[in-house]
Amino acid sequence: RAIDGIPTATFLWKERGVVPFLKIDKGLEAEAEGVQLMKPIPGLDALLDRAAKAGVFGTKERSVVNAADAKGIAAIVDQQFAIGRQVAAHGLMPILEPEVTISISDKPQAEALLQAEILKALDGLEGTVMLKLSLPTIPDFYLPLVRHPKVLKVVALSGGHLRAKANEILAQNHGIIASFSRALSEGLSAGQTDAAFDAVLKEAIDGIHAASIT
């Protein structure tokens, strides 16, 4: 769409300083081998062409890890990087998002397998990607990814943690910034007055920002 004849993404970026990303996945497949891969994305090349022309900076695509299954995690990383390369071919920055479910009993093992697969995929990558990952069990566990020359930025999803807990964990992970949605919207309601809504949102943003720069 457009604002005053300017593509909305371009307007947000150039006029408001908001860097625009486009969510491109179409949901998740049924779980197999401990993961949920992305469903096929029909018409993706045409969509990416439109996004580039509209001034979108990058894309986001989510899949889910529900167990420390080596074969499944390898498949999820392969799919994420394949889509990422397709996105990059259109001049856009891909955010790869293989989310690890925070409630699984083998989360540390899943994170170790995931990081190992991502590092292998990065070694064969031309260009750069961003990574959106669940907050790790071990503080600073993802520093090898944060410091990798082919990773523009690692951002964290809240994954179902309440905002206070998500901020606490985020502050322990240097070089990672928040990309929270569920935690950001915590406490917001359509029934609030504008002033109350703005106050709750400001408190959320201030707290998340502070955790991101610790």
Side-chain angles (χ1 to χ4, degrees):
R1 299 183 181 181
I3 300 172
D4 295 333
I6 303 170
T8 301
T10 300
F11 181 89
L12 288 171
W13 195 354
K14 304 303 181 184
E15 302 294 331
R16 295 292 185 267
V18 177
V19 181
F21 284 84
L22 178 67
K23 181 180 183 294
I24 60 171
D25 64 81
K26 300 297 183 182
L28 301 171
E29 300 279 15
E31 182 176 327
E33 296 176 323
V35 303
Q36 290 177 271
L37 297 172
M38 290 179 280
K39 291 181 178 178
I41 310 174
L44 180 56
D45 284 315
L47 176 64
L48 296 173
D49 278 340
R50 287 176 53 210
K53 291 173 183 175
V56 171
F57 177 70
T59 65
K60 183 186 88 79
E61 51 266 12
R62 173 179 174 265
S63 46
V64 176
V65 174
N66 290 316
D69 185 294
K71 188 175 179 180
I73 289 174
I76 218 170
V77 171
D78 285 347
Q79 185 190 48
Q80 284 281 343
F81 273 83
I83 297 294
R85 285 189 291 271
Q86 188 174 355
V87 169
H90 290 263
L92 301 170
M93 172 57 62
I95 295 181
L96 312 184
E97 185 183 359
E99 175 180 352
V100 176
T101 302
I102 64 172
S103 58
I104 60 175
S105 60
D106 52 0
K107 181 170 176 280
Q109 293 84 1
E111 290 165 343
L113 289 169
L114 180 63
Q115 176 160 248
E117 289 296 330
I118 291 174
L119 287 169
K120 285 196 296 184
L122 287 170
D123 286 343
L125 180 71
E126 294 184 8
T128 57
V129 297
M130 294 176 64
L131 299 170
K132 183 170 180 176
L133 305 173
S134 303
L135 291 161
T137 306
I138 301 171
D140 282 336
F141 180 75
Y142 287 132
L143 274 181
L145 300 177
V146 171
R147 294 170 175 168
H148 199 287
K150 294 182 181 178
V151 177
L152 179 65
K153 196 70 181 177
V154 178
V155 302
L157 56 96
S158 52
H161 287 297
L162 294 177
R163 184 166 62 245
K165 183 63 175 179
N167 286 344
E168 177 188 337
I169 300 172
L170 177 62
Q172 301 169 1
N173 287 275
H174 301 88
I176 298 178
I177 62 173
S179 179
F180 295 169
S181 52
R182 281 165 282 186
L184 174 65
S185 62
E186 181 184 321
L188 296 174
S189 168
Q192 292 169 323
T193 65
D194 286 353
F197 186 95
D198 288 350
V200 172
L201 184 58
K202 182 181 187 304
E203 180 183 4
I205 291 171
D206 287 348
I208 293 169
H209 177 259
S212 293
I213 63 174
T214 300

